[in-house]
Amino acid sequence: MTTAQPALLHTADELHARVRPGRRAVVMTMGALHEGHATLIRTARGIAGPDGEVVVTVFVNPLQFGAGEDLDRYPRTLDADLRIAGQAGADAVFAPSVDEVYPGGEPQVRVTAGPMGERLEGASRPGHFDGMLTVVAKLLHLTRPDLALYGQKDAQQLALIRRMVRDLNFGVEIVGVPTVREEDGLALSSRNRYLSPRERRTALALSQALFAGLDRHAAQEALRARARVVPASHARAEALNALGESRAAADAHAVSHAVPGSPAAVRAAARLVLDDAARLDPPLELDYLALVDPSDFTEVDDDHTGEAVLAVAARVGATRLIDNVPLTFGAAS
């Protein structure tokens, strides 16, 4: 039964000694819990049900931090984490020491992320995904869950965990949970607390750029849908033009032969917002803007159909932030 104060466990033996009448759902965190984590925990509680068990791990993994990154200043707020986890429905918080996770020191055998782990975040943070997958593999073994939940905000991480579980035959279900945002659109992150008020105003450009790309994508999909149902005539051109396209772009023949999607236009709409933010004070320093296939995180072609992820990473002041939105390019009729 879920209690307001979850059990605090520091060793795998303590966790393994617990009775498991139902399925165990695990939410892995590095602490500094916020509403995004609470959403993951509530989702886990709903999936596990009243007879299941929800375990939240709190472990700041040193393998995920490269040279010059913020391992030392990463917030440690275990008392607050316990309170948030309990309020969200966790039964236990597993907060192991570094020695518990890595009893022989840094592991000599590690999980490597492969080519997908060298793109985007992997290119900006070499070795990050190897460290992430290694600790996720360790924590999956230590906690022995039936399912594990991760946020869509870390889309590349989620994709790599799914790939590892599939490729290495882990017997666990991976569940992705949509990104949680603050009222102004900024994706919830433990690093948001580092932003000054002025830096936060600049940081809003990340989500605004993604929404601009998403809006452009929605307009394109609406345009193509209208093109498929309006007769190929002057009436079609007028209908398309009414959707905000220029007369040339609304030409019925051109639309009927157009590729099913325009990734370039989506990227361009997002980049306009980011370019403006680069001129703010303080400026947004763009790391990357990418529209990728979620199966391998390679850039999609202009004739791409199916799922895609529009992802952005940037630095504002000393704080590096990431964000993304999923979208789907419809097939041609």
Side-chain angles (χ1 to χ4, degrees), residues 3-327:
T3 62
Q5 180 68 30
L8 176 59
L9 312 173
H10 294 290
T11 70
D13 287 344
E14 291 176 303
L15 184 57
H16 297 164
R18 293 174 62 85
V19 177
R20 296 178 56 175
R23 295 199 299 168
R24 175 177 288 169
V26 165
V27 175
M28 296 183 185
T29 81
M30 292 205 299
L33 301 191
H34 50 62
E35 180 57 27
H37 298 111
T39 297
L40 287 169
I41 298 166
R42 287 192 293 267
T43 304
R45 179 81 273 161
I47 295 174
D51 296 327
E53 182 184 47
V54 175
V55 176
V56 176
T57 70
V58 174
F59 180 66
V60 181
N61 179 31
L63 299 189
Q64 288 175 240
F65 292 81
E69 293 191 330
D70 53 2
L71 173 62
D72 291 338
R73 72 168 184 151
Y74 197 88
R76 274 80 164 175
T77 57
L78 185 57
D79 289 342
D81 294 343
L82 282 167
R83 183 175 63 256
I84 293 171
Q87 291 171 347
D91 298 292
V93 169
F94 178 50
S97 66
V98 173
D99 287 340
E100 177 73 10
V101 178
Y102 303 119
E106 286 198 14
Q108 298 300 301
V109 176
R110 306 189 186 196
V111 179
T112 58
M116 195 196 317
E118 298 171 357
R119 300 171 186 135
L120 300 188
E121 284 300 290
S124 298
R125 306 174 67 189
H128 167 74
F129 285 126
D130 291 354
M132 179 276 294
L133 289 178
T134 298
V135 79
V136 167
K138 295 272 286 184
L139 289 172
L140 287 175
H141 290 312
L142 290 170
T143 60
R144 302 175 183 174
D146 298 287
L147 61 146
L149 296 86
Y150 302 90
Q152 174 66 34
K153 174 181 170 289
D154 296 298
Q156 193 171 2
Q157 170 180 284
L158 174 59
L160 281 163
I161 292 171
R162 283 178 165 150
R163 173 67 71 172
M164 177 183 72
V165 165
R166 181 168 66 250
D167 287 355
L168 301 184
N169 301 104
F170 280 68
V172 61
E173 176 187 354
I174 302 300
V175 179
V177 178
T179 301
V180 179
R181 299 184 179 279
E182 301 192 40
E183 289 185 1
D184 57 10
L186 189 67
L188 282 172
S189 169
S190 301
R191 290 186 169 93
N192 290 353
R193 68 185 66 194
Y194 301 151
L195 298 169
S196 70
R198 290 173 62 197
E199 288 172 341
R200 184 185 175 90
R201 285 193 292 272
T202 296
L204 292 178
L206 273 77
S207 58
Q208 291 167 351
L210 296 177
F211 296 153
L214 202 59
D215 287 347
R216 179 59 182 160
H217 171 260
Q220 291 174 173
E221 293 298 312
L223 181 66
R224 281 186 293 278
R226 181 67 66 89
R228 289 194 290 268
V229 299
V230 176
S233 64
H234 180 70
R236 171 187 269 190
E238 289 183 340
L240 294 173
N241 200 45
L243 289 174
E245 298 298 312
S246 69
R247 181 68 64 178
D251 176 77
H253 179 78
V255 171
S256 67
H257 289 81
V259 295
S262 182
V266 172
R267 293 186 188 96
R271 185 167 288 278
L272 281 174
V273 177
L274 298 171
D275 288 346
D276 287 343
R279 294 187 285 272
L280 296 176
D281 182 19
L284 182 140
E285 299 174 18
L286 183 64
D287 187 345
Y288 63 75
L289 172 70
L291 184 58
V292 297
D293 185 327
S295 69
D296 59 8
F297 271 68
T298 57
E299 289 279 352
V300 301
D301 297 325
D302 272 345
D303 60 353
H304 178 77
T305 60
E307 295 181 355
V309 173
L310 182 61
V312 63
R315 189 174 295 276
V316 181
T319 303
R320 187 176 183 277
L321 300 170
I322 63 172
D323 201 351
N324 71 86
V325 291
L327 41 79

